[in-house]
Amino acid sequence: MAQKWAVLALLLFLPINLVEALDRLSVEVGHEAVLSCSNISKVSFLMVTWKRSCCSCCLLSYRGDQNKTSSQNCSERSMWEYSPGIYPALRIYPVKLEDEGNYTCETVNSEGTFYFFSSLTVIVPPMVTLTHDKSRVAVCQASAGKPPADISWIPASNHSSEEEFHHPNGTVTRVSYFGWTNSSFPSVTCLVTHPAMNQTLVMDLRYTSHSLLYILIGAAAGVSAVTGVTLCLIFRCRACWLCKWTRQSTTIKTYEFPLSRVRREAVQAPLFPEKIYENYSPRSVYVCL
């Protein structure tokens, strides 16, 4: 108990040194963020505290006299990078949008109290798509990016326009439109630039015309109809030929014989089995068991 009061008394009478160092860190969502808290002296820490500048936010603390760490309102994603008595850095992994903000590291040793400030910015790469609508307008969209992505076209056009949609989580969707109604370009390229990625999408304008699409669909339908009629005629002719051939092959031919000849052959027909059964006797049958 006396040792505890001694530590508290030492903390009250220590000088306060405000370090005007601000560490700015930008991290992509899902990656790792490490916020540093440098020790400007060689004296060991008596206390280290990490806190975020908001109510009911994460608070990590370390006491050197007890070699004990504690946390309040912290998720399992927020932890010490290494041993806080040696290198009191804060590690956040994986980073989420909700982790963005300002953080303060407070260190106490025998030389005084020091504060280090860090600003964490979370970057979200957008989802990029390139489509076209019925009025021959190419649509390049970078969805839910933070910060907003930059969109440009090749070739450049004065007919392009752009709009933005802001989402509650801080991300922004940017959409750019490129019309090629009166142009003869074979293709158009959309360039999307963002701190987390750069992406290029190309659209071939020769196959995006709806009139050409309708012509191709009509031609395909016509070819299918002709092919169907031809196959039906072939199968029908073949079925008729098979039917006629079957009738001819199943016709029974009859011959007329004189009645006297038929009676004579009937009388002369054998009345007993064939000769191979003449010597047959059931006793001659042996069964091998």
Side-chain angles (χ1 to χ4, degrees), residues 47-52 54-63 68-80 90 103:
M47 182 176 292
V48 180
T49 303
W50 270 106
K51 58 184 177 180
R52 187 177 171 185
C54 66
C55 298
S56 66
C57 286
C58 176
L59 176 65
L60 286 177
S61 61
Y62 164 76
R63 286 192 58 176
K68 181 181 179 181
T69 60
S70 61
S71 63
Q72 297 179 8
N73 302 323
C74 295
S75 66
E76 59 183 8
R77 298 183 297 106
S78 300
M79 65 198 77
W80 298 99
L90 175 63
Y103 294 79

Side-chain angles (χ1 to χ4, degrees), residues 1 7 39 41 44 64 71 76 104 107 134 144-145 147 149 171 184 224 239:
M1 187 68 179
V7 172
N39 186 9
S41 65
S44 60
S71 63
E76 59 183 8
T104 303
T107 61
K134 298 180 180 180
T171 59
S184 58
S224 300

